[in-house]
Amino acid sequence: MAALVTGAQQGIGRACALALAAAGHDVAVNWLDDEAAAEAVAAGIRAAGRRALLVRGDVGTAAGCAAIVQAALDGLGRLDVLVNNAGIFPRVPFLDMTEAEWDQVLDVNLKGSAFCAQAAARAMVTAGRPGVILNLASAAVRGAPLGVHYSATKNGVVGLTRSMALALAEHRIRVNAIAPGLTDTAQPRYGNSDAEVRAMGAALPLGRLGRPEDIADLAVFLASDRAEWITGQVYHINGGGYLA
């Protein structure tokens, strides 16, 4: 089995790559701007006894998505699982948001998810094997005052997931979304101190920040045969901070 994880150099993507390797997958590690971090993820995959492939690329264009998927196929020989994790969340007040800022977030978060999924699904259909596509949504589907563009993309990912699940079911390709809440990554620290982030975690019903591994564990389950009758669903994993 082989998986491609986009934006896997850190955070949730890193955790998903390592967890999939531990579950028996060879993993293509897509990265953009930190080769040392990506190499460290690859080393962890190899330590689990699986093959690791580094794939540098930007998901912000359809051509970039196609190239990333093709590199994964060329390097690993097959593709069974895609985790659409790459994303950006630049904070900006809505009244100050520019067209360029809007376009950048939609290109990476929504267009990137759509066209990586399209390229991966085409490869799965051509191979004649079932497959799994997992899209990262967010608790921000409920709204984010400094992330109107971000929230729009994550709501778009939910619609994308449901529609792709219907479109690809005949090919035995399952499509689901994971919507993390406040998770202990670099993202919530943008504009917040470490103490502030931990205080937000302590205020959650379950009393702590999410860990990247919490999300990765769910990804491994959804990628497995144990979830073979699950498609088109959105899983909120947030310590009770948002009850969908």
Side-chain angles (χ1 to χ4, degrees):
M1 301 288 281
L4 165 62
V5 182
T6 67
Q9 67 189 38
Q10 62 182 357
I12 291 172
R14 175 185 182 277
C16 286
L18 294 174
L20 285 165
H25 293 75
D26 297 327
V27 184
V29 177
N30 165 242
W31 64 284
L32 179 64
D33 55 11
D34 191 339
E35 186 173 11
E39 288 281 8
V41 178
I45 293 166
R46 294 181 186 118
R50 307 307 306 182
R51 290 186 297 159
L53 177 72
L54 293 183
V55 180
R56 187 177 190 180
D58 185 352
V59 302
T61 67
C65 292
I68 290 167
V69 171
Q70 189 60 54
L73 282 167
D74 291 344
L76 298 179
R78 60 185 291 166
L79 184 60
D80 304 283
V81 178
L82 166 68
V83 180
N84 266 323
N85 168 77
I88 56 174
F89 186 179
R91 276 67 162 178
V92 61
F94 175 61
L95 296 179
D96 297 329
M97 186 175 62
T98 66
E99 181 179 5
E101 288 168 328
W102 170 270
D103 287 347
Q104 182 189 26
V105 176
L106 264 74
D107 283 350
V108 173
N109 294 4
L110 187 54
K111 183 168 74 175
S113 293
F115 282 95
C116 281
Q118 183 190 65
R122 285 174 173 169
M124 293 168 185
V125 171
T126 297
R129 287 192 292 264
V132 174
I133 296 171
L134 300 176
N135 298 319
L136 268 292
S138 169
V141 294
R142 65 180 173 173
L146 292 179
V148 171
H149 45 4
Y150 179 81
S151 186
T153 64
K154 294 306 183 178
N155 276 279
V157 164
V158 170
L160 179 71
T161 297
R162 291 170 175 160
S163 296
M164 285 198 309
L166 296 175
L168 296 173
E170 66 178 293
H171 302 291
R172 298 181 299 151
I173 298 172
R174 297 186 290 104
V175 187
N176 290 293
I178 300 173
L182 187 69
T183 306
D184 193 6
T185 65
Q187 188 183 95
R189 288 177 172 77
Y190 184 91
N192 297 295
S193 68
D194 184 72
E196 288 170 332
V197 171
R198 296 199 173 278
M200 289 187 283
L204 292 172
L206 290 184
R208 67 165 174 87
L209 294 169
R211 305 182 188 99
E213 293 75 18
D214 294 324
I215 288 80
D217 286 345
L218 179 56
V220 169
F221 168 72
L222 291 172
S224 74
D225 290 343
R226 291 173 296 165
E228 66 177 358
W229 208 50
I230 301 174
T231 196
Q233 305 305 307
V234 181
Y235 287 85
H236 288 272
I237 177 168
N238 53 48
Y242 171 51
L243 306 180

